[in-house]
Amino acid sequence: MALMQSRGGEVKEGMRLARQGLAGLGRVVLDQLYPPACAVCASPLMQSDTLCATCFADLRPITAPYCPVLGVPFETDPGPGALSAEAMADPPPFGRARAALAYGEVVGTLVSRFKYGDRVELARFCARLMMGAGEDFWPGRPLLVPVPLHASRLRFRRYNQSMLLARELAILSGLAVDPHLVRRIRKTRQQVGLSGESRLRNVQGAFAVHPNLLERLAGRPVVLVDDVYTTGATLKAVTRALRRGGVERVDVLTLARVVIGQDVTI
């Protein structure tokens, strides 16, 4: 019996090494067909799925000091517990929002190629940046929940970028992902170009939770995962659906967020 178990273990280890070898071979072949290049400016690189030094330097990481609720960066440190004007004027239904980067030209190109350009491999790079931004969330061992797409949009786009980010975060953190905890029950207009008020109306009543929500959650807090926090309308709508279902703690993690005063349209 021990001999059989030993041989079984050897076979499994051999299969694992073979898979790694095939994966490595696949990467070599892809690198020959499509030489590694910067995901934003296409400059040649030694490895794929990353940015060149110039584009990387143009990223604007969000670091302390920032609003403890919305994660909005402060220009100067206002002292412990100080909230942003936005958080005081319109307190969100979620607990905390964090983003790795301030939205800008480089981030916009990166997100566009990942979200609309079939560059799904960029999810790994983005998730590595998001891990640090979400460091306050991980000790609570939350459940990662991607913001869902409507079924018709998912068929058209073929993948949900939020789901890909959540999966990569799960690999890095060892946490679980539940893509079925929330679903989008109403097809909505794309939020691009809409005003803040129009975005809120657009997603109102667009989400519903799983009928066995609390059983699937098993007492864990939720971290909603998305690519960009613009006005927060979609994330707030998802949060409200979860809170109505009995979820006590919801936080938000995105790759980037628009900082008030930026002249961007997304």
Side-chain angles (χ1 to χ4, degrees):
M1 183 68 177
L3 181 59
M4 291 177 63
Q5 291 177 338
S6 175
R7 288 178 175 174
E10 291 174 358
V11 169
K12 289 181 180 179
E13 179 64 13
M15 292 176 65
R16 185 183 68 81
L17 293 173
R19 285 195 296 268
Q20 288 182 344
L22 288 172
L25 178 61
R27 284 192 294 270
V28 170
V29 172
L30 284 174
D31 285 349
Q32 292 297 320
L33 295 174
Y34 306 100
C38 173
V40 171
C41 71
S43 297
L45 295 176
M46 294 298 293
Q47 65 183 60
S48 57
D49 312 338
T50 188
L51 305 184
C52 68
T54 300
C55 288
F56 196 88
D58 283 340
L59 297 177
R60 292 174 51 203
I62 295 178
T63 57
Y66 50 70
C67 172
V69 173
L70 290 179
V72 179
F74 291 132
E75 292 186 6
T76 58
D77 191 348
L83 300 181
S84 62
E86 183 182 352
M88 291 188 288
D90 184 20
F94 50 76
R96 298 166 292 178
R98 296 290 183 269
L101 305 167
Y103 193 88
E105 184 177 353
V106 171
V107 174
T109 302
L110 177 65
V111 169
S112 179
R113 290 181 178 168
F114 168 46
K115 191 171 181 176
Y116 305 113
D118 291 335
R119 295 292 304 276
V120 295
E121 74 279 3
L122 295 176
R124 187 177 303 109
F125 171 76
C126 296
R128 288 199 296 267
L129 297 176
M130 295 168 71
M131 273 297 295
E135 62 182 357
D136 291 341
F137 302 156
W138 310 142
R141 307 303 295 171
L143 182 66
L144 301 174
V145 177
V147 171
L149 290 177
H150 189 268
S152 61
R153 187 160 295 158
L154 182 59
R155 285 193 297 269
F156 176 77
R157 193 181 294 173
R158 294 177 289 109
Y159 61 91
N160 178 0
Q161 77 283 353
S162 300
M163 180 63 205
L164 297 181
L165 291 172
R167 282 180 175 167
E168 292 297 335
L169 284 167
I171 292 171
L172 293 170
S173 65
L175 298 171
V177 179
D178 191 338
H180 306 296
L181 201 69
V182 184
R183 59 192 178 95
R184 194 182 290 245
I185 57 175
R186 183 169 62 81
K187 186 177 180 180
T188 58
R189 289 181 58 191
Q190 288 194 345
Q191 300 278 64
V192 178
L194 296 181
S195 67
E197 186 63 32
S198 295
R199 286 172 182 250
L200 287 171
R201 289 197 302 268
N202 188 42
V203 295
Q204 188 173 7
F207 300 96
V209 297
H210 194 282
N212 298 324
L213 167 70
L214 297 182
E215 289 85 349
R216 296 172 76 95
L217 194 56
R220 290 169 291 184
V222 166
V223 169
L224 291 177
V225 178
D226 207 0
D227 53 352
V228 179
Y229 187 114
T230 309
T231 64
T234 299
L235 290 158
K236 290 173 184 176
V238 177
T239 299
R240 290 189 179 101
L242 288 167
R243 297 295 298 271
R244 286 194 298 269
V247 180
E248 294 183 4
R249 183 74 191 189
V250 180
D251 292 312
V252 167
L253 179 62
T254 59
L255 169 66
R257 70 159 295 131
V258 172
V259 176
I260 299 300
Q262 285 185 299
D263 185 18
V264 295
T265 301
I266 60 173

